[in-house]
Amino acid sequence: MNPPTARKRNTDEAAAEPGVTPLTRQTAARIVEHLSAGSLPAGARLVERNLAELLKVSRSPVRQALRLLADEGVVVPAERGGFTVALTGDALSRVTTAPHLESDTEETYLRIAADRLDGHLPDRVTENALARRYDLQPGQLAHLLRRIAVEGWIERLPGYGWEFQPMLTSMDRYEDSYRFRLTIEPAAILEPGFVLDREALESVRAQQQRLVDGEIWTIGNAQLYDLNSRFHEVVMACSHNSFFIDGLRRIDRLRRLIEYRRSLKRDRAITRCAEHVQLADLLLAGKRAEAAEFLREHLTTVGREKTAKDAPGRADAEGPRG
């Protein structure tokens, strides 16, 4: 097999190819980000539907992005259709669609999140203003704006500029979000239409187990939030209640920035990730009533820890260790 670098193509040429739209390349970059976080091992099957839900896009750009990544050797065709993971770890940094500026912009990303949460950024901003404020090169700024747009807390305005979307900023509303989740998430497991998506649940269970096994010390608060919220959204999706599903997704988007500040210290976060694994095991064993009660206790404890005013377990500025 040729090394990944042999498959690289000129970015401009790739962008000009039929079917390789900006959305396709953006989706491919986000998939590489997902793989770079250690979410899936080599050989793992990639499920289009799960990726589409994770990235909040339709399955069409996901399908096109996977084909693009197959050309670069990131994924390989599976025997029964679809694709499996081929590259992991450091090898992904050499991929042309990879967001190679990630490490250079992570600190700035968190600064923008903090400034927005603290009210230091207006609702509408220009690229020039952001570039000056954070001393960003065009490529760095473009990468950051793509990432934030995919996460749903900024949108491009027609013609010129960007507009930040509403987010939770007060502790009262943050506490409300946990009470809302405590109402709908356990109930979703008991919905009459609940059908377990075993493949999706086993995938996110594996992610949580890897966090428990030590990966939690090497990732940032933003990645940890993505993995944990993804776990809850996979469980919720099994309810097939569109109102519950949409409600949780909206809350997850709104609470993203404040969650960066309220992240538990990692020794406490490991316990919560272990509870995710336990919840998945109950569901996989068909014990829905027990799972619903377990989830209620989990959310009650986490909500109490994160909304406590003294919050001894908080890690406002804590990042990865090691």
Side-chain angles (χ1 to χ4, degrees), residues 192-208:
F194 188 95
V195 177
L196 190 68
D197 186 338
R198 184 169 292 271
E199 184 177 12
L201 186 59
E202 287 177 343
S203 175
V204 292
R205 183 200 181 281
Q207 293 171 357
Q208 294 294 313

Side-chain angles (χ1 to χ4, degrees), residues 5 12-13 32 43 50 60 62 78 88 94 114 123 143 147 154 173 185 192-193 228 231 235 237 239 320:
T5 52
D12 293 336
E13 292 176 357
V32 171
N50 294 346
S60 178
V62 169
T88 58
R94 299 191 296 272
D123 291 343
H143 169 67
R147 174 180 176 180
I154 199 170
R173 299 289 78 76
E185 290 194 53
N228 287 341
F231 176 87
V235 174
S239 74

Side-chain angles (χ1 to χ4, degrees), residues 45-270:
R45 188 177 184 83
L46 293 167
V47 181
E48 287 183 7
R49 180 185 61 190
N50 294 346
L51 288 172
E53 291 176 356
L54 175 67
L55 304 179
K56 296 177 174 58
V57 297
S58 68
R59 293 175 67 174
S60 178
V62 169
R63 188 175 303 114
Q64 294 168 359
L66 288 172
R67 291 171 182 163
L68 178 61
L69 292 175
D71 290 341
E72 297 192 351
V74 178
V75 300
V76 293
E79 291 182 1
R80 292 178 296 173
F83 297 90
T84 59
V85 178
L87 295 183
T88 58
D90 293 340
L92 289 170
S93 65
R94 299 191 296 272
V95 179
T96 56
T97 50
H100 58 281
L101 298 171
E102 180 73 22
S103 60
D104 296 333
T105 56
E106 184 67 16
E107 182 180 349
T108 304
Y109 167 87
L110 293 174
R111 284 178 57 202
I112 293 174
D115 285 349
R116 179 57 185 165
L117 195 62
D118 291 335
H120 299 322
L121 287 172
D123 291 343
R124 295 190 175 191
V125 293
T126 65
E127 293 185 15
N128 287 339
L130 289 173
R132 288 194 301 270
R133 182 183 182 96
Y134 299 103
D135 192 23
L136 292 168
Q137 298 299 315
Q140 293 173 314
L141 178 60
H143 169 67
L144 279 170
L145 289 172
R146 283 196 301 271
R147 174 180 176 180
I148 295 171
V150 167
E151 292 173 350
W153 49 288
I154 199 170
E155 289 185 359
R156 184 187 291 277
L157 292 169
Y160 187 71
W162 295 77
E163 183 174 43
F164 286 107
Q165 301 303 293
M167 305 293 287
L168 294 179
T169 57
S170 76
M171 283 305 301
D172 287 343
R173 299 289 78 76
Y174 184 58
E175 291 176 11
D176 288 347
S177 75
Y178 267 93
R179 286 194 289 273
F180 177 75
R181 293 179 63 197
L182 192 57
T183 299
I184 68 168
E185 290 194 53
I189 293 177
L190 302 178
E191 276 290 283
F194 188 95
V195 177
L196 190 68
D197 186 338
R198 184 169 292 271
E199 184 177 12
L201 186 59
E202 287 177 343
S203 175
V204 292
R205 183 200 181 281
Q207 293 171 357
Q208 294 294 313
Q209 186 62 60
R210 287 195 292 274
L211 290 173
V212 173
D213 291 341
E215 287 189 6
I216 197 169
W217 299 106
T218 63
I219 66 174
N221 286 346
Q223 288 178 297
L224 182 59
Y225 174 77
D226 285 335
L227 292 174
N228 287 341
S229 61
R230 173 63 180 158
F231 176 87
H232 284 269
E233 289 184 9
V234 164
V235 174
M236 177 62 78
C238 295
S239 74
H240 292 274
N241 183 318
S242 60
F243 292 98
F244 281 5
I245 294 169
D246 184 61
L248 181 60
R249 286 177 177 169
R250 287 174 181 268
I251 284 294
D252 282 348
R253 179 176 60 80
L254 290 171
R255 68 188 179 94
R256 172 181 286 275
L257 301 190
I258 202 168
E259 281 287 354
Y260 293 168
R261 285 200 173 161
R262 308 301 293 191
S263 290
L264 300 174
K265 288 187 178 295
R266 296 308 164 91
D267 56 351
R268 298 300 303 148
I270 286 178

